[in-house]
Every structure is written in structure tokens, then in C-alpha cells.
Amino acid sequence: KKRIRVDLSATSMERNFITPARAMTDFLLKPDDLKSLKATKRRSPYENEPPITVYWRKDVEAKAIDVWGSKENLLKELLKKELERKFYQQNIFTNKRRLRDYRRERNTQNEICLSREAGLFGSSGKVVLTAVAINGSNFLFKLFAWLYTGSHSMFSESIHSLADTINQLILAFGIHKSVQRADSDHPYGYSNMKYVASLISGVGIFCVGAGLSVYHGITGLIHPASSEPFFWAFCILGGSLVSEGATLLVAINSIRKGARIKGMSFREYVFRGQDPSVNVVLLEDMAAVLGVVVAASCMALTAAYDSHVPDAVGSIIIGGLLGVVASFIIYTNVAALVGRSIPQELLERINAELESDVMIRAIHDVKGIDMGNCLVRYKAELDFDGRELARSYLDHQDLNSLLQEVQQFKSIDELEPFILKHSENIVDMMGGEIDRIEMKLRSKFPEIRHCDLEIL
């Protein structure tokens, strides 16, 4: 006789086992209905547990059709139960959403004040606007001096000031855009616009400032041209040194203040790019001050030795200086845009605060990302303490009433709704505990804008 082989492509659910709980949930049977069915003992899926009782699926389906009259009636009743469950869940979701909207509305005024402080009216915005005004004026004066003297170094300084002015206008736009509120297209907001604007600024300095200065210096070496006396040029460079130095001091004071608030050193604050807009102003003005010194020195050598070489070399040196500054700006902002972790010390303090909560046993897979604008996105997976959660739930219940209610049960039909009701309430309470923990973290660490806590 030919042996029947297993057909792995065939599908059948008739020989599947079903637990009593699933028989009552999926087929709306009662415990009394299951007594007449053939029961089978199977090994428990849990360690050190006794065997479990299961039924054949085909027997359960046949019994359900017998109880409800037809398969259509069973499906109608299942649909009715499903609609009731979804309606109940929707009510819970609606209430939670209204509560969340109320909390957000309550904090709206604080967010408006924060956006004003972080925008163009904040410390970073004021530094950038001051730099725009000073560099714009310097460009006009240097342009006049170059047209009068024809100096290659003065041409480089003119291009330098023009590049600084344009780049700082881009920074001002980035600061203005970075405080725009989140929307459906950008759910995490526009805080990274500061880094985008700073990156564009760095590329502009490299291409326009460094490129043109080096090109003009090389042209001056190959094709020297006569120049006028440098008296007015020296006067303008002197004024530029004072104005650029003033802007540099403003940027240094702003960074010192930010570093003190963040608990960082001046160097760490600059290298991490915590405030990219002020960093750009700092580096540009530092390069501008050094550039003025280089230009004045090279022009003095040209005037003393009546040689075009020092002036042209000065232009190349200024271009190289701008290239170094631009490279640093590009590097720091690319690192921030790719996604950079917050300082380890801050991450450990947040973790310690989270682990100290009575509901948390352990935390895993922790990530803290710097989003820019001094904002942080924090993510962690939580191992909840089920006993403490249940104890907290029971603290809000009348235990004597619960005991009396349980003692009145005569069958599983009465016990099941009781367990389901309180299980649903405990799950809702877990959601409330997560909201409480998130609010506690935000109050202790205001820089946390997005807190993603997941249950293991």
C-alpha cells in the first residue's frame, strides 16, 4: 500500500488545539458548553507547570455552530463584541488625548517664552545680528579701500567681510526657523535648522572666502600690478580690528555663559557645537582679527620693500586661514546633523533618575540624542516592577469590597469579567505611570523635549 506523505503546502486548522480561554473568547462558548467536548492533556509551555487542557478546534467549531444556530449568527455576535470592544477602547483613547491636549495647552505659554528666548531675540540671535551689522559696515569700508589702493590683501579682507555678512544672514534665518513649532511634516520640530544654516555658512566661507582669496593672491604673484599708498587702507583696517574685536568679545561672552549653564568647559562647548550659530560668529571673527593683522603686516612689508610679493602672499595666507575655519565649522555641524549622543555625564544622571523610580526594576537600550537648540531626545526600555504596579493599583481600591465581590462568585462566567475589568484598569494605570515618569524626567531635565519609554 502506497504510504501517504506529508503535504507541507496543505493548510488545515481542523486538527489544531484550542485552550478553554480561547474557546470562550473566539467562539463565545461557556464552561458548561465545553464539558461535553473531548478534552486532551498537553504539556504546559511553561516550566514546572502541570499539563494543560485543550480541545480539538473542529469540535469547538461544531459546538459553537450548535449553540448559536449557524455560522452566520456566530459571526454576527463576534462582530458585535468586537465593535463594543473598539468603542470602549476609543473612549479610553479619546479621554487620554483630551488630557494630553490639556497638558500641552497649559504649557503653551512656557513654550512661547522659550521660543522667544531661543530665537532672534535670544542671546544667539543678538550675537548674530550684531555681527551682521558690523561685518556689513566693514565690507563697505574695505571695498572702498581696495578700490582706492588696489591691494590684494585688502581685496581678500573685503571678500572675507562680504562672506561673513552673507553667512551670518543665513545663520539669522536658521535661528529664526529653528524655533518654529513642530507640525505633521516635521513632528520633531525644526531645531536642526541651526546646524543646517551653520553648515551652509561653512561651505560658503570655504568656497567664496577661501577660494577667491587664494585665487586673487596667486594672480597677484603671477601678474603683479601697481598699487596706491596704503594710508587709508591702514586706517580702515584699524577700525575693522576694533569692530571685529568687539564682536569677538560678544561671541566669547555668549559661549562662556552657555558653557557655564551646561556645566562644560569653553573648549568642550565649542567643539561639541552646542550653539552652532555663535560658534560660527566666534570663528569668523577670530579669523577676521587674525586676517586684519596678516593684511596689515603684509601691506606694511609691501610698502617698506616696494615689492608686490608680501601683499599677494598675505592674500593666500588669509585664504588658508578661512579654509581652516570653514573645515572646522563643516566638521562640527555634520557630526551634529548625523546624530550625536548627549554627554555621558548627562546621560548617566538621567538614567540614575529613571532607575530610582519605585516602579522601575531596570532600564535597557538607553539612547540620548542631541537634537540641537539645547534639546534632547531620550529613549529607554523599561523593566516594570509588576508587584509595585499592582500594589499601587490596590491602594486606590476598597479591598473589603473586592473580597466580598469575589466571594459571591459561583462560576467562571462571573469571575472572567471581573479579571478582565481589573486587568484593563492595571494596563491603563501602567500608561499613567509612564506619563508620570516622563513628566518627572522633563521637570528635572528641561532639555528633554521627546521622551520615548518602552515596556520590555
Side-chain angles (χ1 to χ4, degrees), residues 37-199:
L37 301 181
K38 179 183 177 180
T40 303
K41 294 291 185 179
R42 300 293 294 174
R43 182 172 61 87
S44 174
Y46 308 103
E47 294 183 1
N48 302 322
E49 291 291 333
I52 61 174
T53 301
V54 294
Y55 301 94
W56 291 97
R57 183 185 178 96
K58 60 181 181 179
D59 294 340
V60 173
E61 288 180 346
K63 185 64 176 180
I65 292 175
D66 180 57
V67 170
W68 293 100
S70 66
K71 192 172 183 178
E72 288 74 16
N73 291 339
L74 174 61
L75 293 176
K76 288 180 181 178
E77 192 66 23
L78 285 172
L79 179 60
K80 179 181 175 182
K81 294 287 186 181
E82 181 67 14
L83 291 175
E84 290 177 354
R85 184 183 66 83
K86 288 185 176 180
F87 180 73
Y88 175 71
Q89 289 181 339
Q90 183 63 32
N91 285 339
I92 294 177
F93 173 76
T94 301
N95 290 334
K96 287 183 177 180
R97 185 173 58 186
R98 288 174 178 172
L99 179 60
R100 185 170 61 249
D101 291 342
Y102 167 73
R103 289 172 178 169
R104 288 177 178 174
E105 188 66 27
R106 188 178 61 181
N107 294 330
T108 298
Q109 192 64 36
N110 293 335
E111 291 183 1
I112 292 174
C113 294
L114 178 63
S115 66
R116 286 177 179 172
E117 293 176 0
L120 289 174
F121 297 101
S123 59
S124 300
K126 290 178 180 178
V127 171
V128 171
L129 292 178
T130 301
V132 168
I134 292 177
N135 283 317
S137 302
N138 287 341
F139 164 68
L140 295 176
F141 287 116
K142 290 177 181 179
L143 179 64
F144 167 76
W146 170 65
L147 292 175
Y148 178 75
T149 63
S151 167
H152 299 294
S153 296
M154 186 55 67
F155 172 81
S156 296
E157 278 299 300
S158 301
I159 294 299
H160 187 176
S161 294
L162 175 62
D164 288 352
T165 304
I166 294 174
N167 290 332
Q168 284 152 10
L169 286 172
I170 296 173
L171 292 178
F173 173 76
I175 293 174
H176 170 71
K177 193 73 175 176
S178 66
V179 297
Q180 184 174 329
R181 298 190 66 178
D183 52 37
S184 58
D185 293 330
H186 301 85
Y188 289 105
Y190 295 82
S191 58
N192 277 340
M193 276 301 298
K194 267 189 174 183
Y195 295 106
V196 174
S198 299
L199 180 62

Side-chain angles (χ1 to χ4, degrees), residues 119-404:
L120 289 174
F121 297 101
S123 59
S124 300
K126 290 178 180 178
V127 171
V128 171
L129 292 178
T130 301
V132 168
I134 292 177
N135 283 317
S137 302
N138 287 341
F139 164 68
L140 295 176
F141 287 116
K142 290 177 181 179
L143 179 64
F144 167 76
W146 170 65
L147 292 175
Y148 178 75
T149 63
S151 167
H152 299 294
S153 296
M154 186 55 67
F155 172 81
S156 296
E157 278 299 300
S158 301
I159 294 299
H160 187 176
S161 294
L162 175 62
D164 288 352
T165 304
I166 294 174
N167 290 332
Q168 284 152 10
L169 286 172
I170 296 173
L171 292 178
F173 173 76
I175 293 174
H176 170 71
K177 193 73 175 176
S178 66
V179 297
Q180 184 174 329
R181 298 190 66 178
D183 52 37
S184 58
D185 293 330
H186 301 85
Y188 289 105
Y190 295 82
S191 58
N192 277 340
M193 276 301 298
K194 267 189 174 183
Y195 295 106
V196 174
S198 299
L199 180 62
I200 295 173
S201 178
V203 174
I205 293 172
F206 190 85
C207 296
V208 179
L212 281 178
S213 296
V214 172
Y215 171 77
H216 200 74
I218 294 174
T219 303
L221 286 174
I222 299 174
H223 304 290
S226 60
S227 58
E228 296 295 328
F230 294 147
F231 174 76
W232 288 110
F234 284 124
C235 293
I236 292 173
L237 285 177
S240 178
L241 181 64
V242 173
S243 60
E244 299 283 7
T247 310
L248 179 62
L249 289 177
V250 171
I252 290 175
N253 290 333
S254 178
I255 290 178
R256 281 179 176 170
K257 181 179 178 181
R260 186 168 58 253
I261 293 174
K262 286 289 182 180
M264 297 181 179
S265 66
F266 185 91
R267 180 180 179 278
E268 183 183 6
Y269 192 86
V270 172
F271 274 79
R272 285 190 60 86
Q274 290 292 325
D275 194 339
S277 302
V278 178
N279 276 4
V280 172
V281 174
L282 171 73
L283 296 172
E284 286 181 345
D285 287 339
M286 190 179 296
V289 171
L290 294 176
V292 168
V293 174
V294 170
S297 302
C298 292
M299 288 167 60
L301 291 174
T302 295
Y305 294 101
D306 194 21
S307 172
H308 67 282
V309 175
D311 189 33
V313 171
S315 180
I316 296 175
I317 294 174
I318 292 172
L321 183 63
L322 291 176
V324 172
V325 169
S327 299
F328 179 79
I329 292 173
I330 292 171
Y331 168 76
T332 55
N333 286 283
V334 166
L337 287 171
V338 168
R340 180 179 53 203
S341 177
I342 61 177
Q344 186 63 28
E345 181 184 356
L346 175 59
L347 186 62
E348 290 176 355
R349 287 196 287 119
I350 297 175
N351 293 343
E353 181 69 23
L354 186 58
E355 288 180 315
S356 66
D357 194 273
V358 68
M359 291 294 174
I360 306 300
R361 280 181 174 153
I363 60 176
H364 306 276
D365 193 21
V366 177
K367 294 181 179 68
I369 304 298
D370 187 347
M371 298 175 57
N373 259 8
C374 300
L375 302 179
V376 171
R377 180 182 180 185
Y378 180 79
K379 178 259 180 186
E381 294 187 2
L382 309 180
D383 185 357
F384 247 73
D385 190 335
R387 292 177 177 271
E388 290 297 332
L389 184 66
R391 188 174 288 114
S392 177
Y393 176 74
L394 293 177
D395 288 343
H396 297 82
Q397 306 296 320
D398 187 347
L399 296 184
N400 291 325
S401 299
L402 290 179
L403 178 61
Q404 293 176 3

